[in-house]
Amino acid sequence: MINRFGAAMPTGIARRLADHLTRADGQEDCCFVLWRPSTGAHRTSALVIDTVLPADGERIVHGTVSFTSAYFSRAARLGAARGCGVGLIHSHPRGRGWQGLNPTDHTAEERFAAQALAITGRPLLGMTFSGADQSHSARIWQRHGHRHYKPLHAENVRVAGEQFTATFHPRLMPAPLAQDTQLRTVSAWGTTVQDTLARLNVGVIGTGSVGMQIVEALARTGIGQLTLLDFDSVEHVNLDRLLHATPSDADLRRAKVDLAAANARQAATHPDFRVVPLEASLVEPDGFAAAADCDVLFSCVDRPWPRHTLNLLAYAHLIPVVDGGVRVATRNGRMRGAEWRALTAAPGRACLGCHGQYDPANVALERSGLLDDPAYIAGLAADHELRRKENVYVFSHAAAAAQLVQFITMVSAPAGIADTGAHLHHLATGTVDRDTRSCNANCPYSGVLHVLGDAAPPATGRDPAAEEARAARRSAQA
């Protein structure tokens, strides 16, 4: 039985639905969709993967709309053949925002709940399209006894792609009251965007030099919940670039994620702010499940396996990932230049692999444990990407700012533009390269892995580096 529920779809599906459901005559319309589950630690999301548009005579438009049993049967059997559930979406042409179920809609969906479960093995997904603002509502029909089905309403419905949008259930996810502490923030992008930010669960994967600054900024901006993942401890070598870290934290080998959470609570401007710190690796099952509960993820990692896993979350599970990194070029002890990059991975945008943010070949090396073998690392060239550790506070600050700009642009779409591509900043020349490429033609993330949800190949396993870090911290604190 699902207790917490959400729904999501890529931008392409949202556009296809809007084109079909928006009628020139202003009448209601409907169609069926196919969906797959994406299961997190606490929330299950229905990922809408395809539309099943009506053929002639399969639905009747008469101010309101109705459909034939044959249309439902065709959609449900197609879903079963593809390992998917089936859903019904209908339009409220003049509706705006979240739409509840009126008695007619309730009866129409409840009538087919048992058949949907029997044919596909998954509950019936019900959705409503609000024509006035192109927002969505959703619920899932769960069995509560013999021939007794009840709708569980979604907390939100997200659309991920060039822009990120979300519609929230007004009772399950109410917008917080305006705060005096946010006057300047709200004046920049308005109440509507702020209400979205305030109801998001944003994950920050890695709370090191870049991630710690991102956590601070998100808390001050008014994000409602932060989920933080990191297994590392504060060390003296971190003190020149880790925000809030003190020599006492290094002496105590304090967990970075605990330091980040404590300072986020102090910085937060959301009245009911919640932060969930986890001493875990993203590539461990518990870490992955926590990340799958998030609406947006920040990638502040420097290893290939976590980036591979984040790529999977972005495309198979429809959770946009804002990624970044820093590279410093030196020669004979002198700096020749520095670069920092920020980009967003989401359907319709190039993935982390196609942008060269990690080498897929190195994922297998890390999973085998070789990247934690000092002898193997020592044998690599001095400038190999797996040996590069250069970073300082100034460049971490710049990289964090670049990632935050990517996030705000994706959510707020200033001047109607939500995707400005990947940005590569060059210190020596003071220039910025902008890359608006799409994924390569044979990229699996925009192809076979796209919107697979729980059906995607597993990306988790045992992470020796995380286990060693946790053991070392326990030993030092004993």
Side-chain angles (χ1 to χ4, degrees):
M1 183 75 69
I2 297 171
N3 296 315
R4 288 182 52 196
F5 174 61
M9 67 184 80
T11 301
I13 293 292
R15 287 175 178 156
R16 197 184 309 168
L17 287 170
D19 288 345
H20 171 71
L21 296 170
T22 304
R23 297 177 58 94
D25 58 14
Q27 297 187 82
E28 293 186 8
D29 210 333
C30 71
C31 74
F32 285 98
V33 297
L34 305 183
W35 67 275
R36 292 191 180 108
S38 169
T39 306
H42 303 288
R43 181 186 70 183
T44 296
S45 292
L47 308 181
V48 180
I49 70 157
D50 206 352
T51 59
V52 184
L53 298 179
D56 290 345
E58 286 189 328
R59 58 84 160 86
I60 303 94
V61 176
H62 43 83
T64 58
V65 64
S66 56
F67 57 89
T68 66
S69 296
Y71 182 21
F72 164 78
S73 180
R74 177 170 71 87
R77 295 187 186 285
L78 178 60
R82 296 176 60 177
C84 299
V86 66
L88 170 66
I89 182 167
H90 72 279
S91 62
H92 288 177
R94 289 174 291 281
R96 185 179 295 276
W98 195 273
Q99 301 290 297
L101 276 174
N102 61 41
T104 301
D105 298 337
H106 188 286
T107 300
E109 292 183 8
E110 184 181 30
R111 175 187 170 196
F112 289 92
Q115 295 179 61
L117 183 62
I119 295 172
T120 69
R122 303 193 188 280
L124 177 70
L125 172 68
M127 300 189 71
T128 309
F129 173 76
S130 298
D133 60 2
Q134 299 200 340
S135 59
H136 297 86
S137 317
R139 54 256 154 212
I140 199 165
W141 289 81
Q142 298 194 108
R143 189 173 184 269
H144 286 261
H146 181 60
R147 295 185 179 179
H148 180 46
Y149 290 79
K150 293 170 60 176
L152 174 67
H153 292 275
E155 297 175 351
N156 61 27
V157 180
R158 295 137 8 233
V159 178
E162 293 89 345
Q163 183 176 359
F164 175 87
T165 62
T167 314
F168 299 89
H169 192 291
R171 180 176 55 82
L172 299 176
M173 299 286 286
L177 296 175
Q179 304 295 306
D180 291 342
T181 54
Q182 298 173 344
L183 288 175
R184 293 290 182 89
T185 299
V186 176
S187 70
W189 46 62
T191 302
T192 300
V193 171
Q194 189 64 28
D195 285 349
T196 295
L197 296 172
R199 289 179 280 185
L200 294 179
N201 178 5
V202 178
V204 181
I205 314 303
T207 53
S209 58
V210 175
M212 194 73 75
Q213 298 185 63
I214 287 174
V215 169
E216 171 91 2
L218 294 174
R220 292 190 182 277
T221 300
I223 299 298
Q225 177 173 328
L226 293 179
T227 298
L228 312 180
L229 268 70
D230 202 313
F231 55 79
D232 214 349
S233 306
V234 179
E235 301 180 45
H236 285 276
V237 72
N238 303 138
L239 297 181
D240 64 345
R241 62 188 185 280
L242 190 60
L243 182 66
H244 301 303
T246 67
S248 176
D249 294 321
D251 290 340
L252 295 172
R253 294 295 295 266
R254 188 178 185 183
K256 290 179 180 178
V257 74
D258 289 340
L259 176 65
N263 286 282
R265 293 185 187 101
Q266 293 183 340
T269 59
H270 190 289
D272 299 308
F273 176 71
R274 182 169 181 247
V275 58
V276 179
L278 297 172
E279 287 184 53
S281 167
L282 174 70
V283 303
E284 295 174 321
D286 288 350
F288 183 91
D293 279 342
C294 296
D295 302 311
V296 178
L297 294 166
F298 277 84
S299 166
C300 305
V301 299
D302 57 7
R303 286 283 192 107
W305 189 8
R307 274 202 166 109
H308 160 76
T309 304
L310 285 161
N311 223 16
L312 193 71
L313 285 161
Y315 295 88
H317 295 266
L318 300 183
I319 305 173
V321 172
V322 184
D323 185 58
V326 177
R327 175 172 292 183
V328 181
T330 61
R331 177 180 291 175
N332 300 325
R334 294 176 60 87
M335 182 173 66
R336 300 180 62 210
E339 298 175 336
W340 51 95
R341 192 180 205 183
L343 59 100
T344 301
R349 302 174 183 235
C351 76
L352 302 183
C354 290
H355 269 300
Q357 290 297 90
Y358 73 98
D359 184 347
N362 290 331
V363 176
L365 291 177
E366 184 173 359
R367 298 192 72 159
S368 71
L370 280 175
L371 299 194
D372 296 301
D373 181 349
Y376 178 81
I377 297 298
L380 299 175
D383 62 347
H384 194 282
E385 64 175 303
L386 298 177
R387 295 192 65 177
R388 301 178 73 96
K389 296 293 183 184
E390 68 282 270
N391 201 356
V392 294
Y393 187 86
V394 171
F395 302 142
S396 296
H397 193 80
Q403 285 184 249
L404 289 160
V405 166
Q406 287 273 328
F407 169 64
I408 288 298
T409 301
M410 176 179 65
V411 175
S412 66
I417 301 171
D419 179 8
T420 59
H423 294 179
L424 179 62
H425 301 253
H426 302 275
L427 176 70
T429 60
T431 56
V432 180
D433 298 337
R434 198 163 67 89
D435 187 344
T436 58
R437 77 177 78 181
S438 300
C439 276
N440 301 328
N442 59 348
C443 176
Y445 294 95
S446 58
V448 295
L449 297 175
H450 187 58
V451 205
L452 275 186
D454 293 345
T460 61
R462 176 175 169 265
D463 189 345
E467 293 172 356
E468 182 180 345
R470 290 190 293 260
R473 180 162 53 254
R474 287 194 296 269
S475 177
Q477 293 174 346

